[in-house]
Amino acid sequence: MHQKKIKLTIIIALFLFTCITCINPVYPKNQLLQHLGTLIVSIILFVDLKKNKLSLFAFSFVAIFILIHVIGARWIYSFVPYNDFFNNYFGINIHESFDFTRNHYDRLVHFAFGGLFFPLLFEGFFNKYKNKMLALLLAWLSLQCFSMVYEVFEWLLTVFMDPKIAEDYNGQQGDMFDAQKDMALAMMGSNLLVVYYIFKKDKF
């Protein structure tokens, strides 16, 4: 019961944070489109709040992904002012230090996707098959598949939506290899979690 209370607290905090980010939206139409993803992913948390099958670790990782996404939805991924934040509060100019010529917040989200959803899938596959290595493989393959399907979805947006809205949503920023880089980053995030679970001392 204690764990369910913690999960409920996380959901309430996420909801309040999301509401705050929707005040005086910077890009109203784009933010609405972005929050369709927020609603879809949040279903995972609400379902588990009732069933309580996910570990707090896996649940929290999904919640962290939603938090990162909500921040991206506030400014849309191409314009999240992370560089201004670090420059103003810590005196660190990330773009200048690493010679960045684009906003890389969307890269962070794809990397986070590959890692933060891994525990959710791993636990699901392990509970079904009771085989650690098989669960790791299936979780890894599933995330790479989801990553690829999402890039196809972004491509379809460019075909059927207003080009400017699609460009802002996708965060491509003129990079012709954006989709490949996004999938590679998601794979890197997954790889880190594979290593974590391989060396994790818990008995499965």
Side-chain angles (χ1 to χ4, degrees):
M1 184 60 69
H2 177 64
Q3 180 170 280
K4 290 192 71 172
K5 288 183 178 179
I6 295 176
K7 290 179 176 180
L8 178 59
T9 301
I10 291 173
I11 290 176
I12 293 173
L14 269 178
F15 175 76
L16 293 175
F17 180 78
T18 302
C19 290
I20 292 172
T21 64
C22 290
I23 298 173
N24 296 323
V26 184
Y27 304 96
K29 293 181 180 179
N30 301 76
Q31 188 175 24
L32 179 61
L33 180 62
Q34 294 282 358
H35 278 313
L36 291 177
T38 306
L39 290 173
I40 293 171
V41 178
S42 296
I43 291 173
I44 296 172
L45 301 186
F46 284 105
V47 170
D48 185 67
L49 186 63
K50 182 178 181 180
K51 296 185 176 181
N52 199 30
K53 289 188 175 182
L54 288 177
S55 69
L56 192 57
F57 178 71
F59 188 92
S60 298
F61 265 37
V62 175
I64 292 171
F65 179 83
I66 294 175
L67 177 66
I68 295 172
H69 171 73
V70 166
I71 293 172
R74 167 67 183 178
W75 287 277
I76 61 176
Y77 289 118
S78 299
F79 306 108
V80 175
Y82 63 86
N83 192 56
D84 292 339
F85 175 82
F86 281 99
N87 197 18
N88 293 335
Y89 291 98
F90 302 102
I92 301 173
N93 191 316
I94 297 176
H95 283 196
E96 190 175 89
S97 300
F98 295 96
D99 197 28
F100 288 160
T101 58
R102 77 190 298 278
N103 189 298
H104 283 279
Y105 193 82
D106 66 312
R107 302 279 195 236
L108 169 67
V109 176
H110 284 279
F111 175 78
F113 171 77
L116 296 178
F117 276 92
F118 197 95
L120 165 73
L121 293 171
F122 170 75
E123 290 182 12
F125 285 123
F126 182 79
N127 289 336
K128 183 174 183 179
Y129 297 110
K130 307 302 180 184
N131 183 303
K132 181 179 179 180
M133 296 311 296
L134 178 60
L136 286 174
L137 176 62
L138 291 176
W140 189 90
L141 290 173
S142 296
L143 281 166
Q144 309 327 306
C145 181
F146 292 152
S147 179
M148 180 271 295
V149 170
Y150 183 77
E151 293 302 326
V152 172
F153 165 72
E154 287 192 340
W155 166 67
L156 289 174
L157 284 181
T158 65
V159 174
F160 295 106
M161 289 191 65
D162 176 85
K164 182 64 170 64
I165 294 178
E167 169 69 20
D168 289 341
Y169 178 90
N170 293 343
Q172 187 172 346
Q173 301 177 61
D175 187 350
M176 64 183 296
F177 297 111
D178 181 71
Q180 291 90 333
K181 292 175 182 178
D182 288 346
M183 288 188 288
L185 284 166
M187 185 182 295
M188 288 174 60
S190 297
N191 291 346
L192 287 177
L193 268 292
V194 169
V195 173
Y196 167 78
Y197 276 108
I198 287 177
F199 290 99
K200 197 171 187 286
K201 298 300 183 180
D202 292 359
K203 293 182 180 180
F204 292 95

